[in-house]
Amino acid sequence: MRMIKYMFLAYKTLAFNLLRGCCSFSKTRPLLKSSTSKMTVHGPWNQLPNDIGSSIFERLDLEDRLRFDLVCKQWRSNIKRTPQLLWLMLPYDRNSQYLSFFDMCEGKIRKFNLPGSAQGGWFSGCSKGWLFLVTGMDVDDLRIFLFDPISRSQIPLPPLSTISSFKHSFTARHPGWNPAACIINGVEISSSDASQCIVVVKFSINNRILALCRPQDERWTIVEGLLGDEYYYGNFSFFDGDLYACILSSDEENNNQDPCFQTHSITLGSQRVNLKLISSTPPPTNLIFAADADESILYYKDSFRWPYLVESNGQLLVVTQIYDRIMDLDDSDSDSDNGNDNGDRTSLFMYFQAATFQVKKIQTIGDTLHTTVLTDVGNQSLFVGAGDCLAVKNCDKLDKNCIYFLHDMDYSLHKQDYPLISREAGVYYLEDGSIQRCLPSITTQNHCLYMYWFSPNIKSRVLG
């Protein structure tokens, strides 16, 4: 009865505040009369119990959540106790005037109009509620911003021209393609408070360097020379104030190497950032599993691996996606004398298919990395792929103990007559290892236009 009475009073008070558009009352007024005409005094509306405030907040749509946040500080604190919002950003056509997102929890499409200054730009990733927006087409006028699609705020970042190898990377891109996606293939920020955050990017052509900056910096700080020739950067994420980065090896001789861990200190103006390099994902075995009679079609097991870093219940997980590969080879120009298993045969078609996942909990003690394999993540739903990699708890609309995954492979990078984009997207269930490819593919005529997991941060949007 207490819960019902409080929820009735809270809904009534919330509706009244939202309609008035104000944040406080001058006086607290009694809300109910007894049958004997005596006034029953209830607690102040701004002291709503947290469990009831959270219950109300979960039932509001996005617009009312934004208004809820503005009522008072105590109500705003309920946001931290509610499930995280999770959207799927749909491919963006640079000729469009809006962005489209699919709300995974509400099952609806949300559209946000773009300001004129953002129209015609390119998006090459997102992190903690901010999109990475690049405008311009020429090397001299390319500009980068952190863009908030809800408040439409834009925060400029240092120009890419301050990176020494940038001009070479830009001229090496494919004409007419998304220049940002062809140059930058990973973005992460340290905080949803973009005015105080640290931005990290990695690059498609030179994947052995990182670039860091703060929004107020004039140029990027380059981190290079930390990796051996056979290593390159994979996924990275901020955790407990430090920057963690997965490093991978292209040398199959390192297949049985034990997990290793290194810490490096990076100076960024007056700040110091600890960069922790994690090597816990061995190269794929790349075994031929099946082939036709003349070996023109080959099926490889464990052909490609990619790790993602996910924060879960105060711990850091490495979620590794493992792919199989199918190749269709052209026998017309084969040459068996060159020492290559496949001769000089041209790949007519190559397709990577998500096969399975591995989840490990990592812990660093001194310079030692400890890993624990997990076969169950409880009531959580893990999200990996382009964009925000995160764990979502207690969302009734999502399956539990599973991994929602995205992978966009642009095959036209390899051969022009390949299909433009193949989207390996679906849900992997940890309990039985099954995969449901329930996320629809979206046809696009533009290269390098991908889908991203996007988690809006309501509080930073209102205050930003």
Side-chain angles (χ1 to χ4, degrees), residues 237-257:
S237 178
F238 284 93
F239 176 72
D240 279 349
D242 296 328
L243 176 60
Y244 286 76
C246 292
I247 57 174
L248 296 97
S249 174
S250 56
D251 184 359
E252 293 188 6
E253 294 183 0
N254 288 333
N255 193 43
N256 297 318
Q257 183 179 9

Side-chain angles (χ1 to χ4, degrees), residues 50-60 65 68-69 75-86 105 391-395 455-456 458-459:
N50 288 331
D51 56 342
I52 296 176
S54 297
S55 179
I56 294 171
F57 187 81
E58 292 174 10
R59 290 167 170 79
L60 301 178
R65 288 189 179 193
F68 185 100
D69 181 85
W75 283 24
R76 186 178 304 126
S77 66
N78 285 288
I79 294 177
K80 299 179 180 179
R81 302 179 176 87
T82 56
Q84 195 163 14
L85 297 177
L86 197 284
C105 293
V392 176
K393 297 187 297 183
N394 302 321
C395 181
S455 180
I458 297 298
K459 183 175 180 180

Side-chain angles (χ1 to χ4, degrees), residues 198-229:
I198 297 172
V199 181
V200 185
V201 301
K202 66 185 181 73
F203 304 93
S204 300
I205 295 179
N206 189 347
N207 55 10
R208 297 177 57 247
I209 69 172
L210 297 176
L212 288 77
C213 79
R214 297 165 298 179
Q216 67 271 23
D217 291 342
E218 295 183 355
R219 59 188 306 110
W220 292 85
T221 297
I222 305 302
V223 179
E224 55 187 344
L226 300 182
L227 305 183
D229 292 340

Side-chain angles (χ1 to χ4, degrees), residues 74-254:
Q74 198 272 343
W75 283 24
R76 186 178 304 126
S77 66
N78 285 288
I79 294 177
K80 299 179 180 179
R81 302 179 176 87
T82 56
Q84 195 163 14
L85 297 177
L86 197 284
W87 300 345
L88 177 63
M89 180 179 172
L90 304 179
Y92 163 71
D93 188 324
R94 65 189 303 262
N95 296 318
S96 176
Q97 297 181 352
Y98 59 86
L99 294 175
S100 297
F101 299 85
F102 178 75
D103 190 324
M104 296 293 293
C105 293
E106 297 296 330
K108 64 173 66 172
I109 298 290
R110 300 188 181 278
K111 294 185 178 181
F112 295 90
N113 292 328
L114 285 170
S117 57
Q119 294 179 19
W122 308 88
F123 294 96
S124 63
C126 60
S127 176
K128 296 180 175 62
W130 293 88
L131 297 172
F132 201 75
L133 168 66
V134 180
T135 62
M137 288 295 295
D138 298 323
V139 64
D140 295 325
D141 67 356
L142 212 59
R143 299 293 180 265
I144 305 178
F145 302 87
L146 292 178
F147 175 70
D148 171 7
I150 298 178
S151 70
R152 304 201 297 178
S153 299
Q154 296 183 51
I155 298 179
L157 299 177
L160 286 175
S161 57
T162 61
I163 300 175
S164 58
S165 61
F166 167 72
K167 288 191 176 182
H168 168 71
S169 300
F170 187 83
T171 55
R173 68 183 176 88
H174 296 265
W177 286 17
N178 179 343
C182 291
I183 299 170
I184 299 169
N185 68 356
V187 181
E188 180 73 10
I189 66 175
S190 60
S191 168
S192 58
D193 182 359
S195 65
Q196 304 294 326
C197 73
I198 297 172
V199 181
V200 185
V201 301
K202 66 185 181 73
F203 304 93
S204 300
I205 295 179
N206 189 347
N207 55 10
R208 297 177 57 247
I209 69 172
L210 297 176
L212 288 77
C213 79
R214 297 165 298 179
Q216 67 271 23
D217 291 342
E218 295 183 355
R219 59 188 306 110
W220 292 85
T221 297
I222 305 302
V223 179
E224 55 187 344
L226 300 182
L227 305 183
D229 292 340
E230 72 277 13
Y231 288 96
Y232 59 96
Y233 287 105
N235 188 245
F236 47 84
S237 178
F238 284 93
F239 176 72
D240 279 349
D242 296 328
L243 176 60
Y244 286 76
C246 292
I247 57 174
L248 296 97
S249 174
S250 56
D251 184 359
E252 293 188 6
E253 294 183 0
N254 288 333

